[in-house]
Amino acid sequence: MAFGRLERTPGPQPMSDINMTPLIDVMLVLLVIFMITAPLMTSALRLELPKTEGAQPSEAPQSIALSLDAQGQLFVGEERVDETTLRTRVAEAARRNPQTEVQLRADRSVPYGRVAELIGLVQQGGLNRIGFVTEPARP
C-alpha cells in the first residue's frame, strides 16, 4: 500500500475585473435604436407655428390633428386631404363623438381668412371644439 502525498493545486482565482464588452454592446444597440426612432417621434410636416406665452397643451381624449401649411394645403394627421375628404372625416368624427376636439395647426404665414374658412368648414361638419396649437414663446 503506497501512501502518496495528496497535493491540492489551487484552482483558478476569481476574476476581479468587470467584463465591459457586453455592456458596450448593449449601449451601442440602444444608441442605434434611439437614432432610428427619434426622427419618427417628430412631425414630418414642417410648420412655423405662432408663438405665445399663455398656451397650455390640451389632453383631449378624442381629437383630430388638422394642419394647414404655408401653401394652404390641408392635412389630417400627416395625410394630405382636399376639402371634400375633410368634410366627410369631420362628419364621421362628429357622428362617433360630438365632443371630439379639432387641434388646428396653421402656419403663421397663412392668411386669417383661410383659417376662418377652415373653422367654418369644421363647424359645418358638426364639431365645435377647436384648439389652436402654438409654440411656447422664448424669453
Side-chain angles (χ1 to χ4, degrees):
M1 194 172 220
F3 290 100
R5 189 172 182 194
L6 297 175
E7 290 185 24
R8 291 187 182 176
T9 57
Q13 295 293 325
M15 281 182 46
S16 62
D17 295 333
I18 296 176
N19 189 359
M20 295 296 291
T21 305
L23 296 175
I24 293 171
D25 288 345
V26 169
M27 181 195 64
L28 290 175
V29 167
L30 288 174
L31 178 67
V32 169
I33 289 171
F34 286 129
M35 287 173 56
I36 291 172
T37 58
L40 299 176
M41 293 191 299
T42 61
S43 176
L45 184 59
R46 299 286 179 215
L47 294 176
E48 189 176 334
L49 296 175
K51 295 177 179 23
T52 183
E53 292 178 14
Q56 302 223 348
S58 171
E59 295 295 330
Q62 294 263 336
S63 65
I64 297 175
L66 183 61
S67 303
L68 186 62
D69 69 357
Q71 289 77 33
Q73 298 173 345
L74 293 171
F75 293 86
V76 174
E78 300 290 327
E79 178 187 353
R80 183 170 183 243
V81 295
D82 57 356
E83 286 189 16
T84 56
T85 306
L86 179 64
R87 286 178 202 268
T88 58
R89 288 198 183 176
V90 167
E92 288 172 9
R95 236 177 300 150
R96 280 182 272 150
N97 183 4
Q99 294 300 316
T100 301
E101 180 177 295
V102 177
Q103 295 180 349
L104 180 60
R105 299 173 61 219
D107 194 278
R108 70 170 38 188
S109 63
V110 174
Y112 179 73
R114 179 70 176 127
V115 175
E117 290 172 6
L118 184 58
I119 291 171
L121 188 139
V122 169
Q123 287 178 338
Q124 286 175 353
L127 296 179
N128 294 319
R129 297 185 64 191
I130 301 172
F132 293 93
V133 180
T134 61
E135 290 180 351
R138 295 185 183 138

